[in-house]
Every structure is written in C-alpha cells, then in structure tokens.
Amino acid sequence: AYFAASVSCISVSDSVSEIMLSSLLARRSSSRLMTSSVASMTLRRCLSSSSSSSSSSSSSSPQADYDVAIVGGGIVGLSTAYNLSLRNPKLSVCVVEKEDELARHQTGHNSGVIHAGIYYVPGTDRARFCVAGARKMLAFCEEHGIPHKRVGKLIVAVEEEEVPRLDALFERGNENGVQDLELLGLDAMREIEPEVGGLKGIWSPNTAIVDFRNVALKMAELFQQSQLKHDNKNAGENVLTSFEVVETTRDNLNNVTRVRAKDGREISVDTLITCAGLQSDRVAAKLGGDVSDNKIVPFRGRYVELKPEARHLVTTNIYPVPVPGLPFLGQHFTPTMSGQVLVGPNALLAFKREGYRYADIDLRDVWDSLSYPGMQKLMRKFFAYGVKEMYRDIVPETIYHTLRKYVPNLKLGHVDFDADNGRAGVRAQAMSVDGSLVDEFVIEEIRNSRAIHVRNAPSPGCTSSLEIGRAIAERYDNFVLNE
C-alpha cells in the first residue's frame, strides 16, 4: 500500500485530455504532399517557376540531405519547422516523428485551452511566451480558418482564505500584460456564467479553446508547401513518420550529422533540433545533451465529463484558485470544441511515458521515475496530498462535493465518472535533482554538435508554441547563419 501510494502521490496541472487521432499529412514511411514522385516534381517545377526566389541562403554542407532536421512531430516541432520556413524560405527542413502520424501525444492529449498567461511568474519566458503566443495562436486560427471559440475563463475563489490569493493572481496577470482582465463579485460573475458559485472571481474574456491537433497539422501543411514553393532540397519529403531515432553520429569531415532510425533509414543533416516532448531528455542524451540536471517525469491526468443533459450548466472555463506550494492549477470545468464539458484533471505519476490507460506499464519508465532522487524528494514532500489524490482517482465520485462549490446546481447524476470513458493524457514535466519541478521553458544549444534541444515545454506549451518556434528559429539564425 505504501508503494502504491508513493507511486501515485503527485497530481498534474491542467494539461491533458485524450482526443481521437487521425492524420491527413503523415504517412507510415515518409510523408509527402503529393502521392507520386512524378506529381511532386511537376508541382515543384510549377511553383518554382511562378514564384520569386528568396534572398535568404542556406549555410549547410552540400553533403547534407537537409539543412535542418527536427526530431518530434508535435506542435512545438511543427511550429519550429513553420517558423524556420518563414524566416529562411530556402532552408531545407525535415521533421522526423517516431509514430506513424503527427501530433500523436501531448498535442493531441490536452485540455484544448488557449491560456491568456495569468499564472506565470512575470518576466519569465513562460509568462512572456504565453501572452504573446496566445495572441499569435488566435490570429493564426483566424487567418487559416481553424475552428476556435473565445469562451473565456473564470478563476473563482470559493473560500475566504482564497480571496487574497485571487487578488494577487489578478495583479500578476496585469503585470504579465494579459488584456481585459476583470475582478468580479458573484452577481457580476453570474451575468457571464449564470450557474457559477463562489465569492469572487477573475474574468479573462480572451481565453479560448481549440483542437491543437488541427493547429499542428496546419503548420505541417504550410511548411511543406513552402518547401515545395522554393524547390528546396528533398522538397516533398519533409515529414518522415515511423522514424524512431536510435543513433546519431557527427561527421566533422563532411560537416553533417547522420541520423539513423530504428528501421534502418538514415538521413544526413547540417543542424539537428529536438522537440521530443515526453522523450526529450532521452533524445537529448543520445545527441550529447547534458541531462544530469533534470529528468522528464511523466504525470498522467484523467478527465471525467458532464453528461449531455448537464452541459448547459457550464459555458466557460471555470478554474479554482491554485493551491499554494503546488505547481498545479487544480480540477476545473473545460468546454471543448466538440461540445463536451470536461471535469478535471485528476493526476498521478504515469507508469509509462506514453501510457494513457491504467494498464499501460513500462518497467523502464517506472524505474526511471522512482529511482530518481528528485522524484523521491517530491514524493516525501507531497505524500499526504498524493494519497488524497490517489483516493479520488479510485473513487472519483468524491470530487463531487468540491465541484458543487463552483456549480451549485450540479447533481451527482450529471457527471459521468466511468473510468473507461475518461479522457487521459500524459504530461512531460522536467524535474530537478532537488525535487523541484522546472517551471520554465528550457532550450539548450550544443554548438560543437550543431544541435538545439527543447528540454522542457510544459503547459502552456501548446498555447506558446508559435512563440517557442519563433525563439528557436531566431536561435538558429544566431547559432548557424551568423557563424
């Protein structure tokens, strides 16, 4: 019992919800925009002849198949490819993804909330990237016709002791530059959300929802179109799926990095950028990155949902005031683009980095987490809280009384607690050796191997993805093009 409680003693922030996945762009071997090499060549000639050439130039070795390869086909990796193509159209860029389709993991298993940037420490990249990234994300969705809704968010204090923390959170949001925030009493909150309860709340009207997987696939489409338009090297072969990287070798004589997949395929690149999410520390280690300072620890979170007859009770995001000392936003109500209303997430240490079901277990992943000194320290610190969270996961009905504080007319029968129907996902969270969770985006450069590693991009990673991609593209300019 102690072992089970210890394993299960951590909860995760709002990050995850399982979405049915499909891909229009990925292929099982090497994804192409055209279905035949002849058609691809024809399209490239047509686009090349009708477009002006870019003034940007590539500095890669002539021996390389691509100027840049990006490991990881999630939203951060695809945003990086998209931003590189915008800034340097003549760069040949490739994305390699170990799954058979893009956006398979965190991009497709999250709450779908475009966060405004209220929670994060002022002056950090996490705060700045979220605020700027949210505006860019909304503009991107509007420009490209991606369905989204500005449903807003209420952060609600339901106890007197929470009111000072709510006021401080309001000041933080304003300091971060979040637009149009309001501090409201109950009557004013009910003009926005008639069924809400509580004492006082922050209203964020620009918080929105979207299916981030749709965003990621649009980024993939746009960067591949750019590769074809500029007739870049190996254009039409810019997304390689089922390409699990097992080895990289730096060939200094030819100034390239050779990247080999598990199935034997190999590409050569001038510069390698990793955006590997749940596998980011392991991939970085293979490529010479220093991963001694922190490790990815996976946290699994599951949502339950309101039954269809109760969905009218919640039309906006309703969040609690975060608990002091915990890096989690707490269980909340979240509308989705498909019309559902999610409740959660709960959250526990995952037994597999990419395991979304209770039965998903990988002994290597379990051992990596439990043997890590930082995890052991965190378990001791939050043991009581974790046991409570474990109990709520086993008996999810126990959260009902908490939920009613936020929506007083919610009935027990309004919530579908069936674990089999719960939407779940796994968050990649970097943890330091001292047991603290790394609450900043971490991007590492290794100049001697011409590599850039995204080591930590937790929530609000999806919201911030366009801004993270921009920052990586700028680093590439400084790192490579200005040598």
Side-chain angles (χ1 to χ4, degrees):
Y2 178 83
F3 175 80
S6 298
V7 170
S8 305
C9 76
I10 304 299
S11 100
V12 71
S13 72
D14 91 311
S15 62
V16 289
S17 59
E18 186 167 26
I19 299 172
M20 294 299 292
L21 302 174
S22 62
S23 175
L24 298 177
L25 298 175
R27 297 293 186 267
R28 289 190 175 273
S29 56
S30 62
S31 296
R32 297 171 179 262
L33 287 178
M34 306 297 292
T35 57
S36 72
S37 59
V38 174
S40 178
M41 290 291 291
T42 302
L43 179 58
R44 275 186 280 172
R45 291 192 190 102
C46 292
L47 288 171
S48 178
S49 63
S50 64
S51 61
S52 60
S53 62
S54 167
S55 60
S56 299
S57 62
S58 167
S59 64
S60 76
S61 164
Q63 303 294 327
D65 296 324
Y66 300 95
D67 298 333
V68 180
I70 299 165
V71 180
I75 197 169
V76 173
L78 293 169
S79 172
T80 300
Y82 170 68
N83 275 278
L84 283 170
S85 294
L86 285 178
R87 293 176 65 87
N88 303 291
K90 290 299 295 178
L91 281 176
S92 61
V93 179
C94 174
V95 173
V96 301
E97 166 57 47
K98 75 182 182 69
E99 304 294 350
D100 59 6
E101 57 188 5
L102 297 173
R104 178 78 174 268
H105 292 296
Q106 291 184 105
T107 304
H109 293 75
N110 61 75
S111 64
V113 176
I114 302 176
H115 295 284
I118 299 170
Y119 301 98
Y120 313 109
V121 177
T124 62
D125 284 345
R126 205 173 175 195
R128 294 185 297 105
F129 286 12
C130 183
V131 173
R135 294 170 187 166
K136 286 185 176 181
M137 184 62 65
L138 289 169
F140 185 87
C141 291
E142 290 165 5
E143 179 182 357
H144 298 289
I146 299 172
H148 63 289
K149 295 178 183 178
R150 298 194 191 213
V151 298
K153 177 196 285 186
L154 283 168
I155 305 173
V156 180
V158 296
E159 306 288 351
E160 286 289 349
E161 65 182 24
E162 296 176 339
V163 172
R165 303 205 306 269
L166 184 80
D167 292 339
L169 198 60
F170 179 70
E171 294 302 322
R172 173 174 284 192
N174 285 324
E175 188 175 349
N176 284 339
V178 180
Q179 296 178 340
D180 305 322
L181 294 181
E182 297 181 69
L183 205 54
L184 306 176
L186 180 58
D187 290 342
M189 286 195 293
R190 283 184 170 169
E191 290 180 9
I192 297 167
E193 184 66 279
E195 298 293 340
V196 75
L199 304 174
K200 192 175 182 180
I202 297 171
W203 171 237
S204 172
N206 294 315
T207 298
I209 57 174
V210 72
D211 183 342
F212 281 113
R213 191 163 184 279
N214 290 338
V215 176
L217 294 181
K218 176 55 71 172
M219 292 175 182
E221 176 187 333
L222 293 173
F223 109 78
Q224 289 180 91
Q225 287 176 348
S226 175
Q227 294 292 301
L228 285 170
K229 177 180 179 180
H230 295 93
D231 198 22
N232 292 343
K233 189 188 305 183
N234 288 315
E237 298 181 355
N238 303 102
V239 175
L240 306 180
T241 55
S242 300
F243 194 108
E244 182 177 351
V245 176
V246 294
E247 183 182 31
T248 65
T249 304
R250 184 67 189 173
D251 181 350
N252 290 318
L253 180 63
N254 293 304
N255 200 32
V256 299
T257 297
R258 305 194 187 280
V259 183
R260 186 168 62 85
K262 189 175 183 178
D263 62 7
R265 283 178 292 166
E266 184 177 296
I267 59 173
S268 59
V269 303
D270 178 67
T271 301
L272 202 59
I273 300 174
T274 69
C275 306
L278 285 156
Q279 304 294 337
S280 60
D281 56 342
R282 292 173 178 172
V283 171
K286 290 178 182 177
L287 306 179
D290 180 9
V291 297
S292 61
D293 56 340
N294 60 65
K295 177 186 286 291
I296 291 295
V297 176
F299 293 103
R300 179 184 180 276
R302 179 177 62 87
Y303 284 93
V304 296
E305 64 180 81
L306 297 189
K307 294 179 180 178
E309 62 269 23
R311 291 173 182 170
H312 68 280
L313 296 173
V314 177
T315 60
T316 186
N317 291 288
I318 302 175
Y319 277 62
V321 179
V323 177
L326 290 174
F328 314 128
L329 300 184
Q331 301 207 32
H332 51 268
F333 296 85
T334 304
T336 71
M337 289 302 299
S338 62
Q340 296 167 299
V341 177
L342 304 180
V343 183
N346 76 326
L348 304 164
L349 178 67
F351 296 117
K352 185 178 181 180
R353 289 199 180 194
E354 292 157 358
Y356 304 105
R357 302 171 302 168
Y358 286 112
D360 290 336
I361 299 174
D362 185 293
L363 294 180
R364 177 194 177 191
D365 291 346
V366 174
W367 176 251
D368 272 0
S369 295
L370 293 180
S371 64
Y372 184 55
M375 185 64 197
Q376 294 168 5
K377 293 174 182 177
L378 192 67
M379 288 193 299
R380 287 193 292 269
K381 182 177 180 179
F382 293 112
F383 182 80
Y385 186 90
V387 171
K388 180 180 177 181
E389 190 70 7
M390 181 182 66
Y391 178 72
R392 291 167 70 172
D393 187 61
I394 297 171
V395 189
E397 291 83 357
T398 56
I399 69 171
Y400 167 68
H401 296 293
T402 300
L403 299 177
R404 284 193 70 242
K405 295 178 181 180
Y406 300 92
V407 182
N409 288 329
L410 185 70
K411 308 298 183 185
L412 182 61
H414 287 158
V415 185
D416 183 359
F417 292 106
D418 187 347
D420 291 335
N421 292 333
R423 294 161 49 127
V426 181
R427 171 181 176 172
Q429 175 63 59
M431 181 182 294
S432 298
V433 177
D434 64 4
S436 62
L437 301 185
V438 180
D439 62 357
E440 179 65 299
F441 296 140
V442 179
I443 302 172
E444 177 189 19
E445 298 177 12
I446 305 178
R447 292 185 175 271
N448 60 0
S449 60
R450 299 179 73 90
I452 300 173
H453 304 302
V454 178
R455 293 283 309 282
N456 193 48
S459 178
C462 285
T463 297
S464 308
S465 57
L466 282 165
E467 192 66 5
I468 295 172
R470 175 205 59 77
I472 295 172
E474 284 187 356
R475 288 197 183 206
Y476 175 82
D477 284 352
N478 296 329
F479 177 37
V480 176
L481 298 182
N482 295 329
E483 287 186 341

